Amino acid sequence: MKVVLSNQSELPIYAQIREQIKEQISNGQIAEGTLLPSIRQLAKDLGISVITTTRAYRELESGGYIASVQGKGSIVLKRDNKVIREQYRCQMEEHLDAAIEASKKLDMTDEELVEALQVLQKQHRR
């Protein structure tokens, strides 16, 4: 697991940690079942407060990315976890809503919008 903090980021430190770990879990860089560094160890490694790492881990847990196991620490949950899938589905719907609104401004037909989506899907499969 790699976490790089930036003083230039608009995100608070706990959110930077949360987002970087979420991304690494989502793309498979951190495998399911992996034991994450303890809250204290991560705080020490990053030179930050334990309170900050605690908040990041708490939010990852409430988001369904990790689970705290008594006596073991925080473990990465399966990527196909229903909570995570639902969060991505909501995010996708928000982006599609924005695309539909933009297509209205361009007076695109439904067929043109679907065609644009299909073209983008093909590009991302490569």
Side-chain angles (χ1 to χ4, degrees), residues 1-52:
M1 179 178 86
K2 182 176 181 181
V3 176
V4 178
L5 301 178
S6 170
N7 291 331
Q8 314 306 325
S9 176
E10 294 177 10
L11 290 176
I13 293 172
Y14 77 89
Q16 291 180 49
I17 295 167
R18 179 195 65 219
E19 292 305 310
Q20 289 179 47
I21 294 174
K22 270 173 49 174
E23 180 63 29
Q24 291 174 52
I25 291 170
S26 296
N27 68 25
Q29 287 179 306
I30 303 176
E32 69 179 72
T34 299
L35 186 63
L36 295 180
S38 72
I39 290 170
R40 291 185 187 284
Q41 185 61 52
L42 183 60
K44 182 180 175 187
D45 291 348
L46 296 174
I48 59 174
S49 165
V50 170
I51 295 168
T52 302

Side-chain angles (χ1 to χ4, degrees), residues 10 12 18 28 32 43 46 57-58 60 85 100 108 114 124:
E10 294 177 10
R18 179 195 65 219
E32 69 179 72
L46 296 174
Y57 274 35
R58 189 178 319 121
L60 286 165
R85 287 185 56 82
I100 290 168
M108 290 176 74
V114 169
H124 284 273

Side-chain angles (χ1 to χ4, degrees), residues 91-102:
Q91 185 181 37
M92 178 197 67
E93 288 173 357
E94 289 174 12
H95 291 294
L96 288 174
D97 281 339
I100 290 168
E101 288 302 315

Side-chain angles (χ1 to χ4, degrees), residues 26-118:
S26 296
N27 68 25
Q29 287 179 306
I30 303 176
E32 69 179 72
T34 299
L35 186 63
L36 295 180
S38 72
I39 290 170
R40 291 185 187 284
Q41 185 61 52
L42 183 60
K44 182 180 175 187
D45 291 348
L46 296 174
I48 59 174
S49 165
V50 170
I51 295 168
T52 302
T53 54
T54 300
R55 183 168 181 185
Y57 274 35
R58 189 178 319 121
E59 290 190 9
L60 286 165
E61 187 168 7
S62 68
Y65 289 89
I66 65 173
S68 294
V69 178
Q70 186 71 27
K72 287 195 173 201
S74 298
I75 297 176
V76 176
L77 297 174
K78 290 183 178 181
R79 287 189 306 163
D80 64 351
N81 180 305
K82 290 179 184 177
V83 175
I84 296 171
R85 287 185 56 82
E86 185 60 29
Q87 288 176 344
Y88 276 118
R89 184 177 189 85
C90 287
Q91 185 181 37
M92 178 197 67
E93 288 173 357
E94 289 174 12
H95 291 294
L96 288 174
D97 281 339
I100 290 168
E101 288 302 315
S103 73
K104 286 180 184 177
K105 292 176 184 173
L106 296 170
D107 292 324
M108 290 176 74
T109 65
D110 290 349
E111 291 78 19
E112 290 173 318
L113 180 60
V114 169
E115 182 182 337
L117 177 61
Q118 289 171 335

